[in-house]
Amino acid sequence: MKRIWLAASMFLVIMLTGCVGALKADNEMSEKVSFEANMPANDAYDVVLKHLKIKGYTFELASKETGQINTALFDERMVFLVISGSKLEVVFIDDGDKTTTIVASVSTWRRHIRPTHTTPWEKRERDKDKTKKIAEEIKSTLVQKENKSAKK
């Protein structure tokens, strides 16, 4: 009887863990902003990279081959002995010759400063408001570029 109870409880734990993981993955995807641009991925990448450089972002990773841009920490602030800031991630998905799907997300990072050591950076959560704001800026820049290209 104990074996059946143990097997049933292990099964229940595994099922609940899987459900929580699936819910977390759905929630994480809902905090990203996705939109389409009517231009090839290479052109969209160039436009977005130029826009972010003009806005003053610095980059940890900017690779046209992988279709990804990751910024270094921005909006950095220190409260007591905790440093926090945000990072932007933009991913370009090539949908064909004429369209590109762009996925943007802003995540919050932090670390603690201690007298003996400093903890490593840890990712805390995604910032929906900053993600929407920056995604709208990127989208409007892409639309302006599309309109200029259409006039030619």
Side-chain angles (χ1 to χ4, degrees), residues 70-151:
N70 291 345
T71 66
L73 214 59
F74 64 94
D75 287 344
E76 200 168 336
R77 57 203 167 278
M78 184 169 181
V79 178
F80 297 109
L81 297 176
V82 178
I83 300 174
S84 62
S86 301
K87 290 186 180 185
L88 169 65
E89 178 183 6
V90 184
V91 177
F92 301 85
I93 303 167
D94 191 2
D95 294 334
D97 292 343
K98 302 274 184 184
T99 60
T100 303
T101 300
I102 299 168
V103 181
S105 68
V106 176
S107 54
T108 303
W109 293 72
R110 76 174 193 187
R111 71 179 180 179
H112 298 275
I113 307 292
R114 300 230 178 0
T116 56
H117 69 285
T118 301
T119 61
W121 286 102
E122 62 180 15
K123 186 175 182 179
R124 299 302 293 170
E125 69 238 3
R126 297 203 188 274
D127 191 332
K128 292 179 188 178
D129 297 331
K130 283 184 184 177
T131 300
K132 288 179 184 176
K133 179 183 172 202
I134 293 173
E136 285 300 320
E137 290 175 4
I138 291 171
K139 192 174 182 178
S140 67
T141 302
L142 288 167
V143 168
Q144 289 173 0
K145 179 67 174 175
E146 288 171 10
N147 292 339
K148 287 181 183 178
S149 298
K151 289 179 181 179

Side-chain angles (χ1 to χ4, degrees), residues 6-53:
L6 181 62
S9 61
M10 287 178 58
F11 177 76
L12 183 62
V13 167
I14 291 170
M15 291 301 294
L16 288 175
T17 304
C19 292
V20 169
L23 290 174
K24 186 176 179 183
D26 286 344
N27 188 29
E28 188 170 309
M29 191 61 194
S30 69
E31 294 170 353
K32 296 180 180 181
V33 175
S34 173
F35 56 92
E36 284 192 4
N38 295 322
M39 62 178 65
N42 286 340
D43 294 344
Y45 175 88
D46 291 335
V47 170
V48 172
L49 187 65
K50 183 178 179 183
H51 170 76
L52 294 176
K53 283 181 180 177

Side-chain angles (χ1 to χ4, degrees), residues 1-10:
M1 187 67 172
K2 288 182 181 180
R3 288 184 185 170
I4 294 172
W5 174 252
L6 181 62
S9 61
M10 287 178 58

